[in-house]
Amino acid sequence: MSEVETVSEQRRFGVIGTGVWGETHLMAYASHPGVELACICDLDEELLAQRAEQYGVECTTTDYREILANEEIDAVSVVTPDFLHREIAVAAAEAGKHVLLEKPMATTVEDCETMIAAAEASGVTLMVDFHNRWNPAMWGIKQQIVAGDLGAPQMLTVRLNDTIYVPTGMLSWGGRSTVIWFLGSHSVDLVRWLFDDEITRVYSVARSHVLKARGVDTPDFFLTTVELAGGGVAQIENCWIMSTAMPTVFDFKLEMIGSEGTCFADCSSHRMLQSFTPAGASYADVAVRTEVQGEPGGFGVNSIRHFADCVIEGREPAVSPRDGLENTRVLVAIHESAESGQPVELPR
Amino acid sequence: MSEVETVSEQRRFGVIGTGVWGETHLMAYASHPGVELACICDLDEELLAQRAEQYGVECTTTDYREILANEEIDAVSVVTPDFLHREIAVAAAEAGKHVLLEKPMATTVEDCETMIAAAEASGVTLMVDFHNRWNPAMWGIKQQIVAGDLGAPQMLTVRLNDTIYVPTGMLSWGGRSTVIWFLGSHSVDLVRWLFDDEITRVYSVARSHVLKARGVDTPDFFLTTVELAGGGVAQIENCWIMSTAMPTVFDFKLEMIGSEGTCFADCSSHRMLQSFTPAGASYADVAVRTEVQGEPGGFGVNSIRHFADCVIEGREPAVSPRDGLENTRVLVAIHESAESGQPVELPR
Amino acid sequence: MSEVETVSEQRRFGVIGTGVWGETHLMAYASHPGVELACICDLDEELLAQRAEQYGVECTTTDYREILANEEIDAVSVVTPDFLHREIAVAAAEAGKHVLLEKPMATTVEDCETMIAAAEASGVTLMVDFHNRWNPAMWGIKQQIVAGDLGAPQMLTVRLNDTIYVPTGMLSWGGRSTVIWFLGSHSVDLVRWLFDDEITRVYSVARSHVLKARGVDTPDFFLTTVELAGGGVAQIENCWIMSTAMPTVFDFKLEMIGSEGTCFADCSSHRMLQSFTPAGASYADVAVRTEVQGEPGGFGVNSIRHFADCVIEGREPAVSPRDGLENTRVLVAIHESAESGQPVELPR
Amino acid sequence: MSEVETVSEQRRFGVIGTGVWGETHLMAYASHPGVELACICDLDEELLAQRAEQYGVECTTTDYREILANEEIDAVSVVTPDFLHREIAVAAAEAGKHVLLEKPMATTVEDCETMIAAAEASGVTLMVDFHNRWNPAMWGIKQQIVAGDLGAPQMLTVRLNDTIYVPTGMLSWGGRSTVIWFLGSHSVDLVRWLFDDEITRVYSVARSHVLKARGVDTPDFFLTTVELAGGGVAQIENCWIMSTAMPTVFDFKLEMIGSEGTCFADCSSHRMLQSFTPAGASYADVAVRTEVQGEPGGFGVNSIRHFADCVIEGREPAVSPRDGLENTRVLVAIHESAESGQPVELPR
């Protein structure tokens, strides 16, 4: 054993919102050697108690302000519905907490700007959890672009769809959001990040039939085309009504065509593992949020760990507040275009 | 920030053999917060210098005994060719170092028994790096078996093949080993682990044409059938002569058929990421050994991290010395059967 | 053997244009028991002689009018470049020949209308060769829609791309056409046919960099969104610059999402047959134009056989002249939208 | 229209056995322009009436001898269970009918020899319907071998499995046959045909648990290794207990590794068409037996059409009686090896 002993201090993190994805934050923090999962918040007391027991958290609350008032807490994850980020994030920043926001940053540009101003004023770290930048397939494409293997990026297509279970069963608030906020946010972030460029023009067509008939008043899908400042073009497909007979809850495919090379990613029906049992056909998650030999893993966990590492080491996260703001700006324009039926310009 | 400060001590690890796979051990240890990568050994001084610089290691040596003589070192990885494990591992155990052996444990049962005896005598931890137990796809199948989703396992097929580049280009010692030691070791471990049972009968057919004609005197392939004590049967395919035009260096597929369910894994041509560039068709590694946002990952890294965690926490690793021994026992029988053309019994 | 003897008469067919796809017409007619491949025409005399020998055709000419002047010929295939259909087709109809036109019907709506008028005036059969309606995967989707298995069709995406070899190597006239005429024509036909509806609005973005730099002045790709009268929406991707390292010359994927079901077709990288040889990675054609046990087959051949059957039996082909006209109307609008940057209405 | 009129005579064909696969023969003959589907036989009168109506056949019988007694009939297909071929085929040959036998030829070598002798004595054509030789993927591999693209074939693996529905639901006589007769016959034919060589040694392991427990007393699977005279080796997997949650009723994969190239076929989960509907996940047949635009097609139909063409034109079929005999000889040896647990030699 080393004679040298190092002194390290665990940082204390809180999680506000412990639903399906909130649990990923619990997994990431609870398994991080430098982090103490100090306090968790949810409006659902039963769920809260269950999570607290499973992840060994002593402090629980239904009022996020209690977490913010706790001076021992260094940082918080905000994993509430899309449209409920601003108030919490601003209060957190004002309380001096570093903030990790689930995607999208917010549903208005003003919300984004307000949160960024609050973080800057307090000097806290603010990151939006665009975790596909940690997806090994997406990272692989990014590296190939950076290395020049594909030549200059010309066009990109991204499909990110969910089965109808997501807006009608998994999310209680599907009708108060859209598939653009939920999945388009990832898609747009990938476009900006892979092209390393800004989107300047948007066109989108949406329809509202199937979900509406099911009592969830939100569009079924958006089919979007975006143009980038440097000349690149991308087609984005976001749909919330795929059949629940699909073996995965989502369908995620990406294609990048450069002047010299072409590449394809399939992050859903890749067939790493296919299972057929009396319960039906299913493809288990092997990449997003996994638990192998007792250890949590997957890129959904790794982006959260990255935030923790940045807080601990005082580093800038790989996703900037501006990434969140520009993302929301595009998402707002997509909704506008789908509404008006016309292209929307995003001048720079 | 937490008022509570914890004192942790970094353990010091050495790596003996820093070639292709030795580098994975360097990546795993160098990035582990509880580990100091203290000293590395290789006979190739140029490579050694390069690795030392890249991983920030100050101590290097071409004589592994120097590492074993270093009292500050707690544990070593032995990443030498298959047939060169025994002497080093026994010496390491006698020097009180915990030992992580790359697979296979050794090429004779006697070597395995000797190493196990040495480790038991010294009370050190001994693990064989069957990293597919950390492969999310394999873990997923294991969990489905344990959960009963597949019913009772009946039959299994495992293909684990390499392109001819591996024995002729990647490995300098291909002609002194066989594809059974190199890939059959993984295959047999998966059979034993997934069935949770011992192999009692082995039949194998091998041929030696293509590699021999290339001057590497080792069989081209072994096609093996194994029977397990509880009645299960598995077919194993290990080939070393696939075309180098393949987009991956290996082909890895597994199928498990249970009384109630069927599942399939494809760990090579899964299409998570396919690239087509002037350099040809390639499928980048997204699962075995990756580096995403500056952090090493993948199941090849995670099994090594697990060893480090076990050393740090004084836990038993998920792979036991007996797993290594029984694995080698079966591999020896496969060679015997291929030689004699007859089934070989492995009585228990 | 049957005592009943039937008298059948072989119809005589000519083929105008015997290049890459013209050969498919030769294969289809030469192997059809009810057809005599009577005369073939091409401007390239060397190619013509070669085809004549291979397919056992005695009559060859470099002037298509000779074929039309031949009173014994019942029907002709026109397999000339997109923009050279009208003159030949009108002359053929006026000469009383049934006409099979390769897709697209023509590159202007007026050309289509003129050809249709000529065919109607002469009472000859006129078919456009949208052979994907014979593609078993597309037919399967169509049958599922008709059977109601998918519910009401909501959205569709079609990708039909080629490697850059097609416009720069395979076609001598790539620079005088576009990927929309060449591949968009298939894509748009699939949209109209699968929705059984007309397209009323079109938006497209194109870019012109890579091919232009290679001296072929035609857009690299069009990313198109179309809306149908009944509310359906489709996204269409047509690109001509994919890497030549791809194992197939084209990439063809289709996804249909209905109110009740979702289906996916992959007609290019489906992996029915993958080969890796010293010549590289290639996926052989097993569906479009095949020759198995000496017999030609595949859906590219079957649509042509269908035309022959319709001529022989006096039936209406499964593709109508109006299908050709409406297809061209949409393709023209796609070019217009790409030019103007605005949506184009196609009122009905 | 041609002045030349040709006189062709339709040959009259009968089909004995009109179950699931018998219908394929009906489809092939009914759609062949040179064939009259003259009479059909089945023991199930209800099914018989239904088939007669659907395929427009006037003559039906429950006694196959009536078909053989009909002097106007030229040829018959025998599509009865495996073990019921001999009596019918011998009687048919003696009645001067050409005979197409479904695979396997028979379940004993003696049966094969007797049928061959009868056909030779009568001078009739005898073909066994190994239709995978018409499978475009298999044909593609064969052509690559013949062309030398793969170098000398070294090893082959074939998986041909069914879901448990086949022996328990589809076949009424599953318990009186085995998966080796049903699927192994195809597998072994592919091995002989692709290597163009004879099998000289066989080893197989079978188990009997799951089907037995379901009341169908036949093995669940056979895992077989075969060696060929010229040094090639193949592994064959035939299983009858896959989960019925699979999207296809069978799983069919083949891999051929030659000295210079490697190729892979996937004829089941190839993803040409995947559908997800309230009825579950299913991959429609696009290759074996299809009906597109009203025309039957697929390689299952094409091999039967080939037999009709050979009868009409007096040609030798691409599958010889000896192919049937040698196939059965190997299948018998596989059963023997599975029984004895020892390799079985097949000396030449």
Side-chain angles (χ1 to χ4, degrees), chain C residues 1-2 6 8-10 74 133 139 144 260-266 270 272 274-276 278 291 293, chain D residues 1-2 6 8-10 74 133 139 144 260-266 270 272-276 278 291 293:
Chain C
M1 191 179 302
S2 165
T6 63
S8 78
E9 308 147 48
Q10 275 196 324
D74 299 282
R133 297 189 187 195
W139 180 256
Q144 290 179 19
E260 301 296 329
T262 302
C263 64
F264 302 92
D266 183 339
H270 46 72
M272 277 236 188
Q274 302 176 80
S275 302
F276 304 96
E291 187 148 355
Q293 295 280 7
Chain D
M1 192 178 301
S2 165
T6 63
S8 79
E9 308 148 45
Q10 274 196 325
D74 299 284
R133 297 190 186 193
W139 180 256
Q144 291 179 18
E260 300 296 329
T262 302
C263 64
F264 302 92
D266 183 340
H270 46 72
M272 277 237 188
L273 177 50
Q274 303 175 78
S275 301
F276 304 97
E291 186 145 358
Q293 294 279 9

Side-chain angles (χ1 to χ4, degrees), chain B residues 9-13 32-36 312:
Chain B
E9 310 148 45
Q10 276 196 321
R11 301 300 175 97
R12 309 188 84 190
F13 281 62
H32 193 300
V35 168
E36 182 192 344
I312 292 167

Side-chain angles (χ1 to χ4, degrees), chain C:
Chain C
M1 191 179 302
S2 165
E3 294 298 295
V4 181
E5 296 193 349
T6 63
V7 177
S8 78
E9 308 147 48
Q10 275 196 324
R11 301 300 175 95
R12 307 188 84 188
F13 281 62
V15 174
I16 299 165
T18 65
V20 173
W21 202 253
E23 187 174 14
T24 313
H25 291 250
L26 303 184
M27 288 168 68
Y29 294 144
S31 66
H32 194 298
V35 169
E36 181 192 343
L37 178 55
C39 198
I40 64 178
C41 169
D42 205 282
L43 298 177
D44 179 338
E45 297 193 42
E46 198 180 341
L47 177 68
L48 192 60
Q50 197 185 303
R51 299 290 198 221
E53 195 189 333
Q54 188 177 354
Y55 292 93
V57 190
E58 283 178 24
C59 164
T60 65
T61 175
T62 57
D63 181 354
Y64 73 85
R65 284 164 298 198
E66 283 188 26
I67 290 186
L68 303 187
N70 183 335
E71 293 198 353
E72 294 195 340
I73 287 181
D74 299 282
V76 293
S77 280
V78 180
V79 203
T80 54
D82 307 342
F83 42 87
L84 292 175
H85 288 177
R86 175 178 168 167
E87 183 189 295
I88 303 173
V90 167
E94 287 173 357
K97 314 302 186 202
H98 304 290
V99 178
L100 176 58
L101 286 170
E102 258 315 313
K103 37 59 52 178
M105 189 177 205
T107 55
T108 72
V109 170
E110 197 206 343
D111 279 4
C112 296
E113 288 170 340
T114 305
M115 292 188 287
I116 291 173
E120 284 177 353
S122 297
V124 298
T125 294
L126 178 63
M127 171 173 151
V128 184
D129 188 21
F130 292 126
H131 59 225
N132 274 297
R133 297 189 187 195
W134 280 261
N135 178 333
M138 296 301 129
W139 180 256
I141 295 174
K142 180 72 177 173
Q143 293 318 100
Q144 290 179 19
I145 292 170
V146 168
D149 296 344
L150 305 179
Q154 304 293 319
M155 60 158 276
L156 176 66
T157 63
V158 198
R159 173 191 298 168
L160 191 50
N161 296 341
D162 277 338
T163 70
I164 199 165
Y165 164 72
V166 170
T168 60
M170 188 180 100
L171 301 175
S172 56
W173 41 273
R176 281 174 292 156
S177 186
T178 68
V179 69
I180 282 298
W181 298 117
F182 198 70
L183 299 179
S185 49
H186 281 304
S187 316
V188 165
D189 185 60
L190 286 168
V191 172
R192 289 183 65 251
W193 180 59
L194 291 176
F195 274 106
D196 194 18
D197 198 2
E198 292 300 343
I199 291 164
T200 54
R201 199 165 194 264
V202 162
Y203 180 80
S204 189
V205 177
R207 288 291 181 269
S208 208
H209 298 301
V210 178
L211 284 167
K212 202 171 199 170
R214 294 267 207 112
V216 179
D217 193 4
T218 185
D220 297 332
F221 60 82
F222 290 74
L223 298 178
T224 305
T225 309
V226 302
E227 300 174 56
L228 293 108
V233 189
Q235 242 179 357
I236 300 173
E237 175 189 344
N238 299 118
C239 173
W240 246 359
I241 61 162
M242 288 196 309
S243 165
T244 53
M246 299 267 298
T248 56
V249 82
F250 64 99
D251 187 18
F252 182 8
K253 312 247 182 300
L254 187 143
E255 163 205 34
M256 168 59 94
I257 299 184
S259 55
E260 301 296 329
T262 302
C263 64
F264 302 92
D266 183 339
C267 301
S268 48
S269 41
H270 46 72
R271 294 187 166 176
M272 277 236 188
L273 177 50
Q274 302 176 80
S275 302
F276 304 96
T277 69
S282 73
Y283 297 174
D285 176 15
V286 294
V288 185
R289 188 177 89 174
T290 61
E291 187 148 355
V292 174
Q293 295 280 7
E295 290 293 323
F299 64 83
V301 169
N302 288 340
S303 63
I304 301 168
R305 282 181 178 154
H306 171 86
F307 172 70
D309 290 341
C310 289
V311 165
I312 291 167
E313 301 164 24
R315 282 195 281 140
E316 283 296 304
V319 181
S320 72
R322 190 170 157 274
D323 287 324
L325 169 67
E326 294 298 336
N327 187 273
T328 290
R329 195 192 300 284
V330 175
L331 302 182
V332 169
I334 289 173
H335 287 97
E336 261 180 61
S337 174
E339 189 77 23
S340 70
Q342 297 301 326
V344 172
E345 308 281 341
L346 288 163
R348 305 280 153 180

Side-chain angles (χ1 to χ4, degrees), chain A residues 121-141:
Chain A
S122 298
V124 297
T125 295
L126 178 63
M127 170 174 152
V128 184
D129 187 22
F130 291 127
H131 59 225
N132 274 296
R133 298 190 185 194
W134 281 260
N135 177 334
M138 296 301 128
W139 181 256
I141 295 174

